[in-house]
Each structure stands twice: as C-alpha cells, then as structure tokens.
Amino acid sequence: GNIYVAACTKSTDFPHTANAYQTTLSGNQDGVIIKLNSNVTSLLWSTYIGGTSDDAAYNIVFNNDQSSFFVGGGTQSSNFPSTAGTYQSSYQGGASDGFILKFQNGGSYALQKGTFIGTNNVDQVYGLQVDRNNMVYAMGQSLGGTFPVTNVTYSKPNSTQFVIKLDSNLTTDIYSTIFGSGDPAHTNISPVAFLVDTCENVYISGWGGTLGFPGAPASVGNTNNLPTTSNAAQTTTDGNDFYFIVFGKNISSLLYATYFGRYSTDVGKGEHVDGGTSRFDKNGVIYEAICGNCYGSGGTTTAFPTGPTGVWSTVDSNLNCNEIALKIAFQFGPVQASASASPSTKGCAPFTVSFTNNSTNGASYYWDFGDGTPTSNAFNVTHTFTTKGVYQVKLGVYNVNACTKLSDTLILTIVVDTSAIQPEFTYTIVDSCNPYTVSFTNTSQYSSTVGSQNFTTFTWYFGDGTSYTGTTPPNHVYSVADTYTVTLVMVDTTACNSPDTVQHKFYFSNLRTTASFTSPDTVCLGSTVNFANTSTNYQSSFWDFGNGQTSTSQNASYKFDSLGTFTITLIDYNPGACNGTDTFKKIITVVSTPTANFSYAPNPPLTNTPEVFTNLSTNAVRYNWDFGDGNTSTETNPTHMFEVSGNFSVCLTSFNKLNCSAKLCKTVASDVQPLADLPTAFSPNGDGKNDILYVRGVSIKIMDLKIFNRWGQLVFESTNQSVGWDGTYKGKPQEMDAYAFVLDIQFYDGSKFQKKGNITLLR
C-alpha cells in the first residue's frame, strides 16, 4: 500500500532521507525516487540519482516478490551510477543514454545493479516491465537506427523505437529489436504505455507528430509508414495519430498493429496524450485516455472513430480538444472460463436461467446444458429447464491465439425441482373508520411434495412496523389512516422456490360517502332525463323517481310521461365508509309541451296578394316559420309574399320556456302574376311624398335599372327593388329635367321584361 514515485528535480533542497543512495543534487537536474506511506503522511525513503549532467527518472516497477524495484529513464551524465558486469556498465556516448537501476526495496535501499541502455546517438528508456520470471523489459527511443537487434524474428531496420529484454541482474541482452518506419533520423511515436502480459507478449502505445508546436526537435517525426496488421482497427494515418503495436513472445511475430485517430489536414490537430494516462492489464487489455478530435482551422477533417454502438458518447461536444476513452482487449493471454447463473442455480420447473459469461481471452464458446437440448455458441445464453433434475451445465472457452492455455472448461450445477410453494392471502377491511381494522385469510398453496403446512412457516409484515408469525393473524388494527403494503413471507425448506413472497396494498381513506347528482329543475312532458351521479366514496346506488319507479344504475335515466312535481331520491352505499350510506334529494317539475297551430288569409289566394299568417299556438313563447320557398321568419304573426304560383308546405315550430317544441305544417296556395314598373316622375323635395324613385313589381328575381342624364351620363343604377334613386349624383342634387331610363327584369318563372323611357325629376 505504499506509494513509489520516479521523477526528476532541479532543486538542491529536495527532501531526502538519511539512508538515501545520493543526498545531493549532482548536476543541473537529477532523477529522484520517493517512497511514501499509503496516507501520504510520512516520507519513508527518498534519494537523488544522477551524475554531473542532466538526468530524469520516468518509470518504476517491482520484481515479483517486491524485494527489489527497477527504475528507468534517461541521462546525459557519463558518470551516472552503474555497476560492473551489467549489460552496459559505461556511458555509450551521443546526446543521452537510457538507464535501468535495480534497488533493494527496504533496509538500506542499496543500489544492487545499474546499466546504461544506449548507442552513440540519442537514447532514452520510457517503459519498464517485469515478467513472471523476473526478466526485465525496457522500451524507448534510439536515434540513428543502430540499436542492437538480437535473438528476434521481427525488426524494422534503421528504426528508432526499441524493445530489450534483460535478465533480473541486468547483465545479458536476452533479446532486443527496433521497430518503426525505418527512418533513422526521426522518432515515430512518443511512447505512452508499455506492457508485458502473462504470456510475455509485448504491448506498446504512443502518439506521433509535432502538434504544430514551434521549436520542436528536428528528430521528432510522425506516424507515417508504420506497420499495421490485417486486423487493424485503422490502417491509414494523417501522420499525427495514436499507434498501438503488439509483439508475440520473444518478438517472434507482429500480432497486432493499428493507427487510431481522425484524419485532418489541419496542422497540429493530431491525437496525443498529456501525461501517462494509459493503463495496461496483464491479461492483455489496453485502457487509453487520448486527447483528440481537437478544433480545426478550416482544413479537411473527419471525426474520431467511436463505437461500437451503445458507447457512452459518440458526439464531439467541445470545439477544443476532447477526452477520448479507448479500450482494446487483445485476447492473447491464457484462456480462463468463468460464468454465473441468475437468478440462482436452484429453482422450480420450468426454470429459466440466464448465464453470464465472465470468461477472459476467449474467442469462441460452447454451452452444453446437460438436458439433451441443442447446444449454443453464444457468449451469454438464457436457457429454460422444463423437467425436474440435476443438470451439469458446461461452458467451453477456446482461443487458438492464446499463449499458454488455449481452452478452459467450467461446470455449473443447476438443480431443478417441482415442489413449489405459492404464498397468497385475501383481506377484508372490517372498519375503515378509526379504529382502522383489517382481517386476513391465508390462501397459500403448499409444496406438492410435502402436502401440508407442518413444514411451512408464515411471517406477516403489516406495513406499519409490526409483524406476526403464524398461519393466519388475528384482525389487525392500524392507528393512522394511510396506505399500507402487507407482505407475507412463506418458507418451506423442502420447496424449490423457498422462501417466496406476496404483497397486497390497501388504504384507509377515512372518508364519508356523499350522495349527489345533477339534473334540470324543470322538464317537458315526455322528456328523458339523464341523471349524472356526482357522489363520492360509494360502491352502489339506489334511485327513486318519486312515482314508484326505481333504478340501481350508477347514472340513471328516466322518461317522465305525466305532469306534476316529482322528488328524485338517490341513496349511495359503501359498507367500508364511515357513514356507510348517504341520501340526496331533488325536485323536478314536469310541465306541458307547447302546441303549434296557425291560420292564413286570403284563402283561396288572391292574385299578387301576400298571405297573412295568424299564430294559434298555445304554451309557446318563441316561433320559427318555414314558408317552404327558402324563406323563414321568427315573427309571431308574419306576412309573406310568395314569388311564384304554386302550393307550399308552410311549417310552424313553437317553443316554450324550456325549449320544448311542437311543429305543424299546412299546404298554402299562391297566385302570382309577374309584374314590374316604375313612375314617370318623382319629386325629391324632402316632403316625404314621392321623394325616391323605386321599381315596384311582383315575382322579380333579377332587376337592373339604369338612369342617364341628357348627356348620356349614367347617374344611377340599382339591382335591388329596395334601393331607389333620390335624385342625386355623387351626393349632389340633380337638376329638374327629364332623364332616360332602361329597366331589365327577369321574373322567377323565367320570363323577362324590358322597359325604356323618360322619368321627370321635379323640384
């Protein structure tokens, strides 16, 4: 639980302990190693490591029993601490060398071994790993392409990234290789994470490109021309992407290599990492946090690839850089079969079980349910066992690419029984008013195997904090009107589904039954009244219509066929309510309906004479007349002139105050002879006599009257008998004179009439 840190400092007063390997700053910058307790309250050990030039420590790992730890980094000091007999006990030259130091973990924290890792160019160690045999692996950069390649099948000549495997005493180069694009002058990636898994496969991730920063070293290259495999997630790059590469044990093969990033022509918008935000699992799983999908400046850009379907977010929500979380499970480690059954491994037939596959490093799967049904190759499966029995469910997991273990098998035992219990109960609210009392009846079904209650226990939880153990509880009294959930737990150890539970919910409303309904106060004889029941908290109803007739409908209807005053009574019932019953009464008066009748004259009709209608209705206050020719009236005694000769069905509808109605229709004859004419003179002098010139006639359907002055100017036109000439033109009185006119008439019977002549305007 202690905390170990590898870092660097330029401070001459950096805190160190008395047993430090090095107590002073030797150069401008030294590496430092710090050990703290788990609460970060005590400095357990701290030391400088370095020579007279600049040094930095980047990583720290333990051997398997944690008796020692290894520190890796880079140095420019030719006198950096090392030990004789190691792989490179002296500085190799160039601008920098990588290094690995082995310290005792505890006690004196002595330096046990130290070696340089380098060439005559620029070298640094960026990753350290220890395998299960305590072999030490280092990963880093080496310019010049001259890093040694030993005992491996795969390498890329002249490349600038390296992997080396040493024994635990850092003496022997067991194998080493270089990888990259084959450009000795430029590195391809800035390494981010390094892993040696349980099968000794080697994993490396990093990012390439300059990100557009000014002053980047000339040795910094890009991710172009790096190798990819056929199963790569992405085989193309814009030169500024993330990169993953996996080597088989002993660098015998390239297992996997891929780019990961969006394509962009914007300079400096590549995927990268600010710090060590990567974690590798020894089972061969990469968890990578990437800074990517950064803002563009007008270039061509595609989005960073996300997926599969269902991931937390596929949307870029920031115009600046975004956090991108990436997981790759390589499945190169040993196969491990693991599964769980839900809801359990024991149940009643038919018993449906969902099997969750928790296996690691599997590529294919085989399920045998042990009941003779077809097998399955799905990852997760659901299966129903229909017959009683004990079944051995087998899960086989396979992966031909795994290292030390290509397959594994797991057996799950499923027990299926038929001796089921079924808890159930009914309840009755004895009193819904205080005290609130409920009775319960146990209707549970016992196990068919046992067949009695001798092996069964019942526990009742009443929902108010109290409980009872027994087959049937006594009546239970609640102190507060509220909603309660009662739970019955039935236990029978011989049953396949024990324990089992049932719940029922009920409430005490503490309400009274209130009866009420809505209806009109007065109705007409023969009307059907629909009574709307507006009562509350009731279960049943009884209606009495005041004349010996009754109903038990919730919302009753009744037709009143006799005059008089009737008392309507509604009685509502609810045995659980505090008052049990309530009554509501209302009086309805049934009044007479109106009668419709009328006479008309002259009868028989006179030529071109209007009919005068006399209303003979009774008990009515409002009338609607329909004359059968498209005309209507609401007058009490209307006069109507028919436009054509014929027989018309004239109907009168009479209404009383309640809007009840009666209707009568009679056939009325008419005698109409079409006529039209106008006076030869008129005197618009304001004496109220002959002031306006009108066209008069009978059966006129269409009319057009035009009047002209002596100069042929149209001074008046009318198409309506009710609109006549008042002797003005544009609001000005016209002179006394003779005016020409043209009158065109079309009568309702289709005949036409035209008249021309003069009209004298007199003043």
Side-chain angles (χ1 to χ4, degrees):
N2 296 321
I3 301 167
Y4 294 72
V5 180
C8 54
T9 184
K10 294 183 179 181
S11 301
T12 58
D13 57 349
F14 192 86
H16 60 274
T17 54
N19 59 346
Y21 168 75
Q22 178 180 323
T23 59
T24 59
L25 183 72
S26 295
N28 178 56
Q29 174 179 293
D30 279 356
V32 289
I33 309 170
I34 307 107
K35 179 180 179 181
L36 300 151
N37 69 340
S38 60
N39 294 325
V40 203
T41 58
S42 177
L43 182 65
L44 303 180
W45 182 68
S46 177
T47 186
Y48 292 96
I49 51 169
T52 53
S53 293
D54 287 344
D55 317 282
Y58 299 142
N59 35 69
I60 184 168
V61 295
F62 296 102
N63 64 359
N64 289 303
D65 64 3
Q66 297 192 12
S67 62
S68 302
F69 59 83
F70 299 87
V71 178
T75 179
Q76 294 180 331
S77 302
S78 60
N79 61 342
F80 189 86
S82 63
T83 59
T86 56
Y87 168 64
Q88 290 178 338
S89 58
S90 60
Y91 190 71
Q92 300 300 298
S96 64
D97 273 1
F99 69 82
I100 305 175
L101 302 179
K102 179 180 181 181
F103 284 92
Q104 175 186 344
N105 187 17
S108 64
Y109 294 90
L111 176 64
Q112 297 173 323
K113 296 291 179 180
T115 184
F116 293 94
I117 304 290
T119 65
N120 61 359
N121 211 312
V122 177
D123 311 281
Q124 293 208 69
V125 171
Y126 285 118
L128 280 182
Q129 286 281 287
V130 175
D131 68 16
R132 57 186 174 179
N133 299 312
N134 282 322
M135 300 295 103
V136 181
Y137 300 73
M139 175 272 296
Q141 295 176 337
S142 177
L143 290 178
T146 61
F147 197 89
V149 177
T150 58
N151 301 325
V152 296
T153 303
Y154 180 87
S155 69
K156 178 68 174 179
N158 298 317
S159 293
T160 53
Q161 289 79 214
F162 71 83
V163 178
I164 186 170
K165 177 181 178 181
L166 305 170
D167 64 286
S168 62
N169 288 321
L170 309 179
T171 58
T172 304
D173 176 7
I174 298 173
Y175 73 66
S176 57
T177 192
I178 53 178
F179 66 94
S181 64
D183 178 2
H186 299 91
T187 60
N188 298 115
I189 61 172
S190 175
V192 172
F194 180 48
L195 167 71
V196 176
D197 70 11
T198 55
C199 300
E200 299 180 23
N201 299 312
V202 176
Y203 303 73
I204 301 165
S205 74
W207 58 275
T210 66
L211 300 183
F213 294 132
S219 61
V220 175
N222 53 52
T223 55
N224 291 325
N225 302 314
L226 291 175
T228 59
T229 54
S230 59
N231 56 346
Q234 184 176 328
T235 58
T236 59
T237 181
D238 59 7
N240 297 276
D241 286 322
F242 235 81
Y243 181 69
F244 297 93
I245 189 168
V246 185
F247 299 106
K249 181 179 179 179
N250 298 324
I251 316 295
S252 58
S253 62
L254 180 61
L255 296 180
Y256 186 77
T258 186
Y259 296 109
F260 227 103
R262 71 170 182 174
Y263 174 80
S264 176
T265 59
D266 292 323
V267 177
K269 303 305 185 293
E271 284 67 36
H272 59 281
V273 163
D274 299 324
T277 46
S278 302
R279 297 294 181 266
F280 283 8
D281 186 321
K282 282 287 188 181
N283 289 317
V285 181
I286 287 178
Y287 299 89
E288 192 78 59
I290 300 174
C291 186
N293 225 52
C294 299
Y295 54 86
S297 59
T300 302
T301 300
T302 59
F304 188 93
T306 58
T309 302
V311 296
W312 182 72
S313 175
T314 60
V315 179
D316 180 344
S317 59
N318 192 333
L319 293 179
N320 207 323
C321 295
N322 295 264
E323 160 63 19
I324 298 168
L326 175 69
K327 175 182 177 181
I328 303 177
F330 291 95
Q331 299 178 329
F332 296 141
V335 171
Q336 180 70 47
S338 177
S340 59
S342 177
S344 68
T345 57
K346 179 182 178 182
C348 300
F351 183 38
T352 300
V353 182
S354 295
F355 295 95
T356 301
N357 193 335
N358 302 311
S359 305
T360 56
N361 291 331
S364 61
Y365 307 92
Y366 173 84
W367 294 88
D368 186 338
F369 304 105
D371 59 355
T373 59
T375 59
S376 173
N377 299 115
F379 182 75
N380 294 317
V381 294
T382 298
H383 186 72
T384 299
F385 299 88
T386 59
T387 307
K388 178 180 179 179
V390 178
Y391 302 96
Q392 303 297 320
V393 177
K394 176 183 177 181
L395 168 61
V397 184
Y398 311 92
N399 185 356
V400 296
N401 293 319
C403 54
T404 58
K405 189 178 182 183
L406 305 183
S407 65
D408 194 19
T409 302
L410 173 73
I411 301 294
L412 290 173
T413 300
I414 304 298
V415 179
V416 182
D417 203 349
T418 55
S419 55
I421 55 176
Q422 184 177 348
E424 188 55 87
F425 67 91
T426 61
Y427 66 90
T428 301
I429 297 178
V430 178
D431 193 346
S432 64
C433 300
N434 201 349
Y436 311 103
T437 307
V438 182
S439 67
F440 299 94
T441 301
N442 193 332
T443 59
S444 302
Q445 300 296 313
Y446 297 96
S447 164
S448 59
T449 302
V450 179
S452 73
Q453 62 183 10
N454 296 332
F455 299 92
T456 310
T457 60
F458 297 93
T459 304
W460 302 76
Y461 298 92
F462 298 111
D464 60 354
T466 64
S467 62
Y468 173 83
T469 299
T471 303
T472 301
N475 287 359
H476 189 72
V477 177
Y478 294 87
S479 59
V480 179
D482 203 348
T483 298
Y484 295 95
T485 300
V486 176
T487 303
L488 173 59
V489 180
M490 186 178 184
V491 177
D492 184 342
T493 56
T494 66
C496 56
N497 63 330
S498 178
D500 201 8
T501 301
V502 66
Q503 291 183 331
H504 288 300
K505 182 184 292 186
F506 56 84
Y507 71 97
F508 297 100
S509 64
N510 202 25
L511 295 177
R512 300 174 61 85
T513 294
T514 301
S516 66
F517 64 85
T518 60
S519 66
D521 295 325
T522 307
V523 298
C524 295
L525 182 66
S527 297
T528 296
V529 178
N530 295 317
F531 296 93
N533 193 333
T534 57
S535 306
T536 58
N537 196 33
Y538 69 99
Q539 293 183 355
S540 61
S541 302
F542 176 81
W543 297 83
D544 185 337
F545 301 111
N547 57 1
Q549 301 298 312
T550 62
S551 173
T552 57
S553 299
Q554 178 183 359
N555 297 292
S557 296
Y558 187 74
K559 182 178 181 181
F560 290 90
D561 292 324
S562 59
L563 300 174
T565 299
F566 301 89
T567 299
I568 312 301
T569 302
L570 168 63
I571 304 174
D572 281 319
Y573 301 92
N574 184 355
C578 294
N579 57 339
T581 183
D582 192 36
T583 301
F584 180 78
K585 296 184 178 183
K586 186 176 181 180
I587 295 175
I588 291 181
T589 301
V590 181
V591 300
S592 300
T593 56
T595 62
N597 194 13
F598 64 92
S599 63
Y600 59 94
N603 185 16
L606 299 178
T607 302
N608 294 345
T609 302
E611 294 290 334
V612 177
F613 295 90
T614 301
N615 196 328
L616 305 176
S617 302
T618 60
N619 297 325
V621 297
R622 184 169 60 86
Y623 310 96
N624 281 342
W625 293 85
D626 185 344
F627 299 111
D629 61 354
N631 294 296
T632 61
S633 174
T634 58
E635 297 180 31
T636 302
N637 298 294
T639 297
H640 182 65
M641 180 68 191
F642 293 97
E643 302 292 348
V644 294
S645 297
N647 293 316
F648 297 90
S649 178
V650 178
C651 296
L652 168 62
T653 303
S654 300
F655 300 87
N656 65 7
K657 292 181 179 179
L658 300 180
N659 217 34
C660 300
S661 63
K663 184 176 181 180
L664 175 67
C665 296
K666 294 183 179 182
T667 300
V668 178
S670 66
D671 183 8
V672 177
Q673 298 296 323
L675 293 173
D677 208 342
L678 73 167
T680 58
F682 73 109
S683 56
N685 53 13
D687 62 358
K689 299 177 181 180
N690 203 24
D691 286 330
I692 299 177
L693 176 70
Y694 291 105
V695 174
R696 295 303 185 206
V698 177
S699 191
I700 296 176
K701 183 178 182 180
I702 300 174
M703 178 197 90
D704 185 22
L705 171 65
K706 294 183 175 65
I707 299 177
F708 305 88
N709 61 19
R710 66 173 56 248
W711 296 281
Q713 184 179 27
L714 180 66
V715 296
F716 177 74
E717 183 176 13
S718 175
T719 59
N720 190 331
Q721 288 188 70
S722 61
V723 178
W725 188 34
D726 63 357
T728 64
Y729 176 61
K730 294 184 179 181
K732 295 182 179 181
Q734 297 300 293
E735 298 178 0
M736 187 171 63
D737 202 348
Y739 293 83
F741 74 88
V742 177
L743 175 62
D744 287 296
I745 298 292
Q746 180 178 331
F747 297 105
Y748 276 95
D749 63 1
S751 61
K752 296 181 179 180
F753 167 76
Q754 186 182 68
K755 185 175 182 179
K756 299 179 180 180
N758 292 321
I759 297 172
T760 302
L761 190 156
L762 303 173
R763 293 291 185 186

